[in-house]
Amino acid sequence: MEKLYLWIAIAPLIGAIIAGLFGKQIGKTGAHIVTIAGVGFSTIASMFVLKYLALDGGEAYNASVYTWAVVGDLKLEVGFLVDNLTAMMMVVVTFVSLMVHIYTIGYMKDDPGYQRFFCYISLFTFSMLMLVMANNFLQLFFGWEAVGLVSYLLIGFWYKRDTAIYANLKAFMVNRVGDFGFLLGIAGVLYFFGSLDYATVFGKVEAFAATNATFDVIAGSEWSAMTVICICLFIGAMGKSAQVPLHVWLPDSMEGPTPISALIHAATMVTAGVFMVARMSPLFEHSETALAFILVIGATTALFMGFLGLVQNDIKRVIAYSTLSQLGYMVVALGSSAYAAGVYHLMTHAFFKALLFLAAGSVIIGMHHEQDMRKMGGLYKYMPITWITCLIGSLALIGTPFFSGYYSKDVVILAAQQADLGMASTYAYYAVLSGVFITALYSFRLFFMVFHSNERFDDHTREHLKESPWVVTLPLILLAIPSVIIAWFTAGDMLFGDFFDGVIFVLPQHDVLNEISHLWKGPVSFGLHALSSPPFYLALAGVVVAWVLYVKRPDIPGMLEKKFKWLHTLFVNKYYFDEFNQALFADGTVKIGKQLWKYGDQKLIDGLMVDGTAKSVGVIASVLRRIQTGQLSTYAFSMIIGLVGFLGWLIYASM
């Protein structure tokens, strides 16, 4: 199996290298063939691995593949840990990536960077696989940074656009902030545990937690070492998984082509943080402070980023803010110690969010690259496959009973309700509960504005409007299927069964999923349970309100906008996070740099140290030059004066 795991990881890399280095020689067709073949192989092999581990009772694999360096007792290695959590992530990453690869054939067919794009998305897949398959913190960090680098290349793929360059630089810089915290967390692990290997570190956690080790973060302030390590690691997750306040890069990532929006938001990059925290559950379980911090951050993101989706008019940005909100739900599950629910929502979300992004891309193709929903409407008559698949994705997103999103999202809400972390738990529960209504409202606002309201496009667009080609619609259909049925076969085992036994660690007092497991009596019974729970009626209310506002009475939103102008302005300006960051960090850093240049470089270094030294040498030289007259009588007089002075000092000293 070791060779198979290695080939799963490197097959997309081989495709990326061929498409990137030999793109001109193999042409467009060759580029998509080699990359799709590589990712396709990884997809099939990953499914085989999941079957082997989950159904056939196969043993998890944990071993080093290559030793990079040895420093004393520390080994820096490349190795794989393939267990049920890894296998599930491998299938999600490769399957969604495969759908995106196929979709890209149609979406990017006329783009001059066709081969380069296939190279990048295949490299993205390789990077994410290396991250999820890692068995040590070093390789985890390699994959972590690699997905950040490739996302930079993909967000700025159309590099001639100033907005794309701004967006990819923003993503890169914001993630550097999170990655600095992540690196500090890894350094803390190495310092206290003496190893970067998962198994070694996790094996020492119980004993280390019992010591209640502390250290000074601020002089005179003792902090729990475990809490500091966990919070630092989670700061890394805040960057990658776009949690408040490090969320600002994700909406701007829409500047990249639509296929990469689907890949970033569904299967790679943003899922890395959620996966990492779940993998590190043995660490996080021993710090309730860190769990409470995670809970508050996730709840804030889930609710307040959902509000912003209500005022967006760009079809892709609505879905982008939906991703932010849903990532918040996943993080709430992690903070509630319902790690299985968090990664399960990650899995179901990957399918329906990729579906929604690719459906949006299909609409954009049909509308000749128009992305403003105010210029759409009535598209169900022209694009029936896109319409029905988008409807399926939207129903899954809002947690409609019997759709996959319901089983994962409802459990997250129940877990938040059962969590026992004081005010943090209460805040999180009401935030995610309120988010259900907001999610339904912005999701069906998009759906009704695009497909069911009055047509708001010109005759030229109408004449050429038609369903997208099969390379676009086939991935939509294949993603719609798991968006509906995947939970029917997996929810019981992954949420309440033994699927993650030995992989995810939860202390008995934190086991919220066990507290709600009595509700699970099969997918049908659990689906019917929705009829007696608040989330179902909140979601239904959101859909009804969206229909009234955007189909029945489309004049009302304008009236509400005028009446609550201050609130609308606040939402449109995204709570002024960008302005704050620009004023404080960007402009502030520039101002500090200018002052350091003016006073530090010019006045201190150049003025005092460099030019000052030269001037001092000149002054001393001018004095010495006057002494060196060349006259013998002057030298004799100086010697006499010196001798008299010396004798006077001797006499004084002897008294």
Side-chain angles (χ1 to χ4, degrees):
M1 292 295 285
E2 177 180 325
K3 290 184 178 179
L4 178 63
Y5 298 142
L6 186 61
W7 277 107
I8 289 173
I10 67 172
L13 176 63
I14 294 171
I17 292 172
I18 295 173
L21 297 181
F22 307 103
K24 289 185 178 180
Q25 289 78 12
I26 63 177
K28 290 184 176 181
T29 303
H32 69 240
I33 286 176
V34 295
T35 52
I36 289 175
V39 175
F41 168 80
S42 295
T43 303
I44 295 170
S46 296
M47 290 178 176
F48 170 78
V49 170
L50 182 60
K51 176 181 177 297
Y52 168 74
L53 292 174
L55 299 180
D56 299 342
E59 292 186 3
Y61 176 86
N62 182 19
S64 172
V65 176
Y66 173 72
T67 300
W68 177 48
V70 178
V71 183
D73 295 331
L74 177 65
K75 288 186 178 182
L76 305 179
E77 299 175 322
V78 175
F80 294 142
L81 169 59
V82 182
D83 52 23
N84 284 6
L85 175 60
T86 307
M88 184 204 77
M89 289 295 299
M90 288 163 61
V91 171
V92 170
V93 170
T94 55
F95 178 76
V96 173
S97 179
L98 179 62
M99 296 300 101
V100 170
H101 275 70
I102 296 171
Y103 179 93
T104 299
I105 297 173
Y107 193 88
M108 301 290 288
K109 64 179 180 179
D110 298 322
D111 196 285
Y114 189 89
Q115 294 96 314
R116 179 165 57 94
F117 190 82
F118 272 97
C119 167
Y120 288 171
I121 58 176
S122 197
L123 186 60
F124 209 172
T125 308
F126 160 74
S127 302
M128 192 65 187
L129 284 172
M130 289 296 287
L131 188 156
V132 301
M133 295 174 72
N135 75 341
N136 63 83
F137 285 90
L138 178 68
Q139 186 176 326
L140 173 69
F141 189 69
F142 164 78
W144 196 268
E145 292 302 304
V147 294
L149 171 62
V150 183
S151 70
Y152 169 83
L153 297 173
L154 284 163
I155 294 169
F157 182 78
W158 287 319
Y159 55 85
K160 293 183 179 180
R161 298 181 182 178
D162 291 339
T163 52
I165 296 302
Y166 175 81
N168 73 350
L169 183 61
K170 186 176 182 180
F172 193 80
M173 295 303 294
V174 171
N175 273 277
R176 296 290 69 71
V177 175
D179 292 353
F180 178 67
F182 189 55
L183 197 57
L184 289 177
I186 293 175
V189 169
L190 179 59
Y191 178 79
F192 285 106
F193 294 94
S195 176
L196 293 176
D197 179 72
Y198 290 166
T200 303
V201 172
F202 296 161
K204 296 179 178 180
V205 167
E206 289 285 346
F208 178 73
T211 66
N212 294 317
T214 61
F215 64 94
D216 281 345
V217 177
I218 303 171
S221 175
E222 293 286 331
W223 286 45
S224 163
M226 188 70 80
T227 295
V228 173
I229 289 171
C230 290
I231 289 178
C232 286
L233 290 173
F234 181 67
I235 289 172
M238 287 169 65
K240 280 289 180 289
S241 293
Q243 297 296 290
V244 172
L246 301 182
H247 67 283
V248 293
W249 67 271
L250 192 59
D252 288 344
S253 69
M254 297 300 97
E255 291 296 331
T258 298
I260 194 52
S261 299
L263 197 54
I264 288 177
H265 288 243
T268 60
M269 189 72 170
V270 298
T271 61
V274 177
F275 165 79
M276 183 273 293
V277 175
R279 175 61 78 194
M280 303 301 150
S281 60
L283 294 172
F284 283 90
E285 276 299 282
H286 288 92
S287 175
E288 290 196 352
T289 302
L291 290 174
F293 178 72
I294 293 170
L295 200 56
V296 171
I297 292 294
T300 302
T301 305
L303 179 60
F304 289 94
M305 292 303 106
F307 284 135
L308 301 188
L310 297 173
V311 298
Q312 300 299 315
N313 294 311
D314 184 311
I315 186 172
K316 287 172 63 177
R317 285 185 179 268
V318 175
I319 305 173
Y321 280 106
S322 166
T323 300
L324 281 170
S325 181
Q326 295 306 304
L327 286 167
Y329 276 85
M330 298 174 206
V331 171
V332 164
L334 300 175
S336 304
S337 292
Y339 305 97
V343 293
Y344 190 69
H345 192 48
L346 182 158
M347 182 190 76
T348 60
H349 175 265
F351 297 123
F352 59 73
K353 186 50 59 70
L355 170 59
L356 287 171
F357 265 114
L358 298 187
S362 179
V363 169
I364 293 169
I365 293 172
M367 293 295 297
H368 303 290
H369 295 279
E370 176 61 64
Q371 296 184 198
D372 192 334
M373 298 188 302
R374 293 170 297 185
K375 299 178 181 179
M376 300 178 188
L379 296 188
Y380 76 96
K381 294 178 291 187
Y382 306 94
M383 309 181 75
I385 298 177
T386 302
W387 166 73
I388 189 64
T389 52
C390 187
L391 175 60
I392 289 171
S394 299
L395 290 171
L397 172 61
I398 69 172
T400 306
F402 305 109
F403 284 74
S404 296
Y406 162 73
Y407 295 94
S408 57
K409 193 173 183 177
D410 204 62
V411 171
V412 171
I413 297 169
L414 290 170
Q417 185 181 26
Q418 292 295 322
D420 186 19
L421 293 172
M423 291 298 295
S425 301
T426 304
Y427 168 68
Y429 172 66
Y430 285 108
V432 294
L433 191 62
S434 303
V436 173
F437 173 79
I438 303 300
T439 301
L441 182 54
Y442 67 63
S443 298
F444 276 84
R445 171 180 178 263
L446 180 152
F447 184 75
F448 290 138
M449 286 183 71
V450 172
F451 293 103
H452 284 283
S453 56
N454 296 328
E455 296 179 4
R456 298 180 296 278
F457 42 83
D458 55 34
D459 291 335
H460 175 73
T461 301
R462 185 178 292 104
E463 290 172 4
H464 295 85
L465 193 54
K466 61 180 180 180
E467 185 59 88
S468 299
W470 71 268
V471 289
V472 172
T473 55
L474 178 62
L476 297 182
I477 295 168
L478 294 178
L479 285 165
I481 295 170
S483 296
V484 178
I485 67 171
I486 191 70
W488 300 357
F489 309 104
T490 59
D493 286 338
M494 290 189 177
L495 290 171
F496 307 110
D498 58 359
F499 186 85
F500 292 116
D501 282 1
V503 179
I504 290 174
F505 173 77
V506 181
L507 290 172
Q509 62 267 32
H510 295 163
D511 196 356
V512 294
L513 290 181
N514 185 55
E515 294 294 321
I516 59 178
S517 60
H518 66 279
L519 296 173
W520 180 262
K521 295 179 176 61
V524 175
S525 174
F526 197 79
L528 294 174
H529 171 262
L531 300 177
S532 60
S533 63
F536 172 74
Y537 296 100
L538 286 169
L540 182 61
V543 175
V544 172
V545 170
W547 176 78
V548 171
L549 294 181
Y550 299 99
V551 178
K552 192 70 174 177
R553 291 288 305 278
D555 58 308
I556 294 180
M559 295 165 54
L560 293 174
E561 179 182 334
K562 291 179 181 178
K563 187 170 183 178
F564 299 99
K565 184 68 176 177
W566 64 273
L567 186 60
H568 183 266
T569 302
L570 181 67
F571 289 166
V572 167
N573 288 284
K574 299 167 285 188
Y575 307 118
Y576 295 97
F577 270 104
D578 286 340
E579 287 78 5
F580 175 81
N581 290 335
Q582 184 68 37
L584 182 63
F585 296 112
D587 294 344
T589 303
V590 170
K591 288 177 181 177
I592 292 172
K594 286 181 178 179
Q595 293 301 312
L596 289 173
W597 168 75
K598 181 178 180 180
Y599 293 102
D601 195 35
Q602 282 194 319
K603 294 192 175 182
L604 178 61
I605 297 175
D606 287 343
L608 180 61
M609 299 176 69
V610 178
D611 294 341
T613 302
K615 289 178 181 178
S616 299
V617 171
V619 170
I620 295 170
S622 65
V623 173
L624 293 176
R625 188 167 59 248
R626 291 174 184 174
I627 297 174
Q628 300 296 327
T629 63
Q631 295 179 359
L632 201 57
S633 58
T634 303
Y635 297 153
F637 180 73
S638 299
M639 292 173 66
I640 291 170
I641 294 297
L643 181 60
V644 170
F646 180 67
L647 290 173
W649 176 78
L650 287 175
I651 293 169
Y652 176 78
S654 63
M655 291 177 62

